[in-house]
Amino acid sequence: MDIVYKGVYCLKKLLLSIIALGLMLAFASPSFASAQWIQGSSQGNLANYGYITEDKDWYYFYDGGISKIKKDGTGRVKIIDASKSGVIAPVELTLVGNYIYYSDLMFGSPGSKSGIFRLNLVNKSIDQIANMDARYYKIVNNKIYYLAYSDMNWSNKSIYVSDLNGKNKKKLTGTVSSFTTEGSYLYYQTYNGLYRATLDNKSKVKLTSSQAEKPIISDKTIYYINKSDKNKLYKMNLNGTNNSRLTQSSVATYNFYNGKIIYSNTVNYPNTSPLYVMNTNGKNISALTTKTFDNLFVLGDKIIYANQNIALNGWADYRLGSVKNGKLSSPSVLFRVYYP
């Protein structure tokens, strides 16, 4: 009996140890937390203002306020009006657990608090995470990194970091125009080039002297719009080597889809361009759409975009499609939004 008792006791001890280890990994491991918490918030989508995010069953989107719709296009529900969101136009939507984080498209406008907020999807409560004029945030390892300024001069913005609830805020850099993150590194643009640094802004290394805007990292490669070369699209390795041009024409916005780049030459009204697709080496360019568009997001194997000719009249049809053989196949209207 003593042997049986001791065996059961040891087995219980082993099981408790396994459970404890699992909990430690779940709450302490950055890679686990990143994979489990953050959904629908790729660098490419946030670089395009993040009008839409997702979970397993729903798309969450900006329609003046924040609404959701089932992935089959049914069951549209208004979650919160813009008047109750604390901002004029809640965008940069990122789903983290039961929270949607967002900032204001109209930052700096009268009536906007111009901060970063989070909406509790369970009880609809709202917390202000950053009370400065802040946008362009990234969530990494249960921290939020964002650009903000405090002297009413948007050209003098810096990177800050805080806990996800806004506590323990810390200024990391001097003047920065854009940034992104990858793994344990920051990549940010200053007045004299693009730099890489650790997440605490140490071990800083200059990667290029070019003016790199909208940097997006995909497959261990940095892509960016080179303002020093008429807004053409470039790429380079994470250490700054093999810096090369991908397009001969200017690029206004771009994103990644199944190992390819989707882009547009311009989104400046009314001179917008169709969507194009190309390989990541800049070859095999083909047109995906014949009509102009506004807003480009990639969620899983789907592309969601809006037709610009409708948006000019205040309405935007958000279409859902996928790319096959270099063509956008059967885009269907997922939802319609009116932007007053």
Side-chain angles (χ1 to χ4, degrees):
M1 290 296 292
D2 288 343
I3 294 174
V4 172
Y5 176 79
K6 288 181 179 178
V8 171
Y9 175 76
C10 291
L11 180 60
K12 284 183 177 179
K13 227 179 151 183
L14 177 62
L15 288 173
L16 287 173
S17 298
I18 292 172
I19 292 170
L21 177 61
L23 289 172
M24 286 173 64
L25 289 172
F27 290 101
S29 169
S31 59
F32 182 91
S34 297
Q36 294 294 315
W37 281 28
I38 303 175
Q39 304 173 61
S41 56
S42 69
Q43 293 185 26
N45 288 344
L46 289 176
N48 289 286
Y49 300 110
Y51 280 32
I52 187 167
T53 187
E54 67 173 343
D55 62 16
K56 180 185 173 195
D57 302 310
W58 298 86
Y59 292 120
Y60 300 83
F61 59 94
Y62 161 59
D63 64 347
I66 298 176
S67 292
K68 67 178 183 178
I69 193 169
K70 291 181 180 178
K71 291 193 171 180
D72 63 2
T74 64
R76 180 170 176 170
V77 177
K78 173 73 79 173
I79 300 175
I80 191 169
D81 291 320
S83 61
K84 297 180 180 179
S85 68
V87 301
I88 297 175
V91 296
E92 293 188 323
L93 305 182
T94 299
L95 184 63
V96 182
N98 290 323
Y99 292 97
I100 288 183
Y101 286 74
Y102 59 90
S103 64
D104 194 357
L105 180 66
M106 306 299 291
F107 67 93
S109 300
S112 172
K113 293 183 180 179
S114 300
I116 296 173
F117 298 76
R118 69 177 184 181
L119 166 66
N120 187 317
L121 292 174
V122 177
N123 61 23
K124 304 301 186 294
S125 64
I126 294 175
D127 301 316
Q128 188 168 8
I129 304 305
N131 57 7
M132 308 167 69
D133 287 303
R135 273 190 64 188
Y136 308 119
Y137 67 88
K138 307 287 188 297
I139 294 176
V140 183
N141 299 347
N142 301 332
K143 297 284 187 179
I144 184 167
Y145 296 77
Y146 56 90
L147 287 184
Y149 70 99
S150 57
D151 60 359
M152 299 308 294
N153 183 353
W154 186 236
S155 64
N156 293 331
K157 50 190 180 290
S158 303
I159 299 176
Y160 289 77
V161 62
S162 76
D163 297 337
L164 291 183
N165 60 8
K167 295 182 179 180
N168 298 315
K169 182 179 71 174
K170 180 181 179 181
K171 184 178 180 180
L172 291 178
T173 70
T175 301
V176 170
S177 61
S178 62
F179 85 103
T180 190
T181 61
E182 177 70 7
S184 57
Y185 289 96
L186 289 169
Y187 296 82
Y188 57 84
Q189 176 68 41
T190 70
Y191 69 93
N192 68 345
L194 182 70
Y195 288 81
R196 182 186 70 186
T198 51
L199 290 174
D200 55 4
N201 197 32
K202 296 180 179 178
S203 304
K204 187 167 68 171
V205 176
K206 188 174 184 178
L207 302 180
T208 177
S209 296
S210 298
Q211 291 294 305
E213 293 301 318
K214 287 192 176 180
I216 299 175
I217 297 175
S218 177
D219 195 22
K220 298 181 180 180
T221 302
I222 306 171
Y223 297 81
Y224 66 96
I225 295 174
N226 192 343
K227 295 185 71 175
S228 302
D229 189 17
K230 299 179 180 179
N231 293 327
K232 294 173 183 177
L233 189 64
Y234 276 63
K235 75 172 184 177
M236 63 181 170
N237 296 334
L238 293 179
N239 61 4
T241 59
N242 295 325
N243 194 8
S244 59
R245 185 175 61 198
L246 295 178
T247 63
Q248 298 301 318
S249 59
S250 64
V251 170
T253 186
Y254 69 105
N255 209 331
F256 292 87
Y257 177 85
N258 285 350
K260 295 184 180 295
I261 300 173
I262 298 175
Y263 70 96
S264 175
N265 297 128
T266 177
V267 291
N268 295 321
Y269 309 143
N271 301 313
T272 55
S273 79
L275 287 175
Y276 296 92
V277 64
M278 67 179 179
N279 296 341
T280 54
N281 61 5
K283 296 181 179 180
N284 297 325
I285 299 174
S286 61
L288 283 181
T289 62
T290 56
K291 295 181 179 180
T292 57
F293 85 105
D294 180 33
N295 305 328
L296 168 64
F297 311 105
V298 176
L299 296 169
D301 63 346
K302 301 297 182 183
I303 296 173
I304 297 178
Y305 69 100
N307 285 92
Q308 179 58 42
N309 59 336
I310 297 176
L312 279 173
N313 297 320
W315 288 94
D317 274 346
Y318 278 79
R319 297 179 177 273
L320 181 72
S322 57
V323 176
K324 293 181 180 179
N325 300 320
K327 298 295 181 183
L328 188 62
S329 62
S330 305
S332 58
V333 176
L334 179 63
F335 55 85
R336 173 171 281 191
V337 173
Y338 178 70
Y339 298 127

